[in-house]
Amino acid sequence: MKVLTRVYEVKQNIRPIKQKGIKIAFVPTMGALHQGHIELLKQARFYAHFVVLSIFVNPTQFGGNEDYDKYPRDLDNDILTIKKNNIPVDCVFAPSVQEMYPFLEIPQLTLPFLSQKLCGLSRPTHFDGVGLVVLKLLNIVQPDFLIMGQKDYQQTVIIQRLIDEFFIDTQLITIPTVRESDGLALSSRNIYLNAEERENALILYKTLNSIQKELKIGMNALQIQSLLKKYRETFAQNGFVKLDYLEILDAYNLVPIQEIQRGSKILIAIAAYIGKTRLIDNMVLEI
Ligand code: AMP
């Protein structure tokens, strides 16, 4: 496994792989690797013989008041995790900020509509930053398969749009969310939680499960709204958890559902602050 920090090195390593017709799968991450990332890497190997992992805490996707400075970074430990557990990775790309953004003026990529919903309401520039860095990374790695987690469902919808908009030759593969045994979705931000917050964080998964059981074919927009209202109120009563959003949307285009029909693909999405930590989770149901 090679650990590279320069764009030209990655391109040099990728070129002969592509020339031999070997398929490449790419897993972009911000590091602090956990079982969720590891699952993505294992799945990547099913799709391709050459697996590239990027580790880059991308500044352009953090808002001014967010946790960019404090986001966990430990490249040595991430590499140890990969080696110790025999995770199938051929090349790690861990660039500096200057390597990814070589010019003082950072270009603006605006991804309207999809990026302003759900997480975009409280993080209005987040998905533009994600789109920008993923576009750069795809140009560097040129993978046949891009592997991402359903945990960040909105991100997958936006990146699919980016791929379609810019005619990029890559296939997006979305991997189901990896959870702790009690249901909490694995996240690099879970390390911010103390024991009590860790317990309170379970409300996200419990809420998704409860809502899932109540959704039925034939439910209309009004009934969906009253269901959401009921669950939003339980958050208002819980002093330890502050709801950011709880929505039920069409999973293809993130618009409100008029009526649940057979064949509907439905997203139940939630984001909440547990203490100071913002966590997200979702479920996708194919009715
Ligand atoms: P991050 O390092 O948080 O930017 O995540 C990198 C990739 O790992 C993204 O595609 C995430 O959706 C994915 N990911 C993060 N947590 C999980 C999880 N619990 N299960 C599956 N994929 C995940």
Side-chain angles (χ1 to χ4, degrees):
M1 179 179 77
K2 288 187 179 170
V3 180
L4 308 173
T5 57
R6 305 295 307 272
V7 171
Y8 81 89
E9 293 174 320
V10 179
K11 289 191 169 203
Q12 253 173 21
N13 276 270
I14 294 290
R15 205 169 297 127
I17 303 291
K18 284 195 98 67
Q19 275 164 1
K20 284 186 203 142
I22 296 171
K23 298 273 184 231
I24 298 173
F26 175 44
V27 180
T29 76
M30 298 204 296
L33 298 183
H34 53 63
Q35 279 304 321
H37 300 120
I38 290 170
E39 185 57 27
L40 263 54
L41 291 163
K42 287 185 177 161
Q43 295 291 330
R45 177 60 99 222
F46 282 116
Y47 286 92
H49 280 300
F50 196 85
V51 174
V52 180
L53 161 70
S54 69
I55 296 181
F56 178 62
V57 183
N58 172 40
T60 64
Q61 71 189 65
F62 287 79
N65 55 350
E66 294 178 8
D67 57 347
Y68 175 67
D69 288 332
K70 121 173 162 161
Y71 197 86
R73 293 167 174 86
D74 192 345
L75 181 60
D76 291 342
N77 192 48
D78 284 344
I79 289 167
L80 207 69
T81 304
I82 296 166
K83 287 187 175 157
K84 254 192 352 212
N85 297 292
N86 261 326
I87 316 287
V89 179
D90 297 285
C91 172
V92 178
F93 177 44
S96 65
V97 171
Q98 216 210 333
E99 186 72 12
M100 287 302 287
Y101 296 100
F103 303 102
L104 211 57
E105 309 84 8
I106 293 178
Q108 294 283 316
L109 175 68
T110 307
L111 300 162
F113 186 63
L114 291 171
S115 68
Q116 296 311 308
K117 298 164 163 293
L118 298 175
C119 289
L121 292 172
S122 57
R123 309 184 75 191
T125 57
H126 172 67
F127 290 110
D128 293 346
V130 171
L132 180 61
V133 80
V134 171
L135 183 59
K136 281 171 173 262
L137 289 166
L138 289 176
N139 278 332
I140 298 164
V141 180
Q142 299 188 19
D144 300 279
F145 300 98
L146 171 64
I147 316 289
M148 299 188 119
Q150 189 198 308
K151 156 93 183 342
D152 298 271
Y153 184 81
Q154 186 177 12
Q155 174 170 278
T156 63
V157 176
I158 288 171
I159 295 303
Q160 184 60 60
R161 179 65 66 87
L162 181 94
I163 289 169
D164 296 340
E165 179 77 49
F166 291 99
F167 311 112
I168 300 171
D169 277 332
T170 196
Q171 187 183 338
L172 175 64
I173 307 287
T174 302
I175 305 297
T177 302
V178 179
R179 301 178 179 281
E180 304 274 11
S181 54
D182 59 6
L184 181 69
L186 294 186
S187 162
S188 303
R189 289 192 168 97
N190 289 353
I191 59 161
Y192 299 151
L193 303 173
N194 64 31
E196 193 187 2
E197 290 168 342
R198 169 71 184 69
E199 197 56 35
N200 287 326
L202 286 177
I203 192 170
L204 275 79
Y205 185 59
K206 283 187 187 153
T207 303
L208 294 174
N209 263 311
S210 308
I211 291 180
Q212 177 199 14
K213 288 187 192 126
E214 294 202 43
L215 291 180
K216 292 186 180 59
I217 291 176
M219 269 176 118
N220 62 27
L222 223 63
Q223 290 166 314
I224 292 172
Q225 280 315 315
S226 85
L227 182 68
L228 285 170
K229 185 165 175 276
K230 181 175 89 179
Y231 282 96
R232 285 178 187 140
E233 276 165 7
T234 63
F235 278 85
Q237 289 152 13
N238 184 328
F240 303 100
V241 180
K242 184 174 159 287
L243 187 65
D244 187 6
Y245 63 74
L246 173 62
E247 295 290 351
I248 298 172
L249 298 172
D250 183 312
Y252 292 110
N253 50 17
L254 310 183
V255 298
I257 293 164
Q258 293 314 311
E259 186 186 324
I260 300 181
Q261 294 171 346
R262 199 168 292 285
S264 299
K265 189 173 170 188
I266 294 173
L267 169 72
I268 316 169
I270 189 166
Y273 288 91
I274 318 291
K276 286 199 171 112
T277 307
R278 186 175 178 281
L279 298 181
I280 58 171
D281 203 347
N282 68 76
M283 256 181 208
V284 176
L285 313 175
E286 305 212 26
I287 307 280

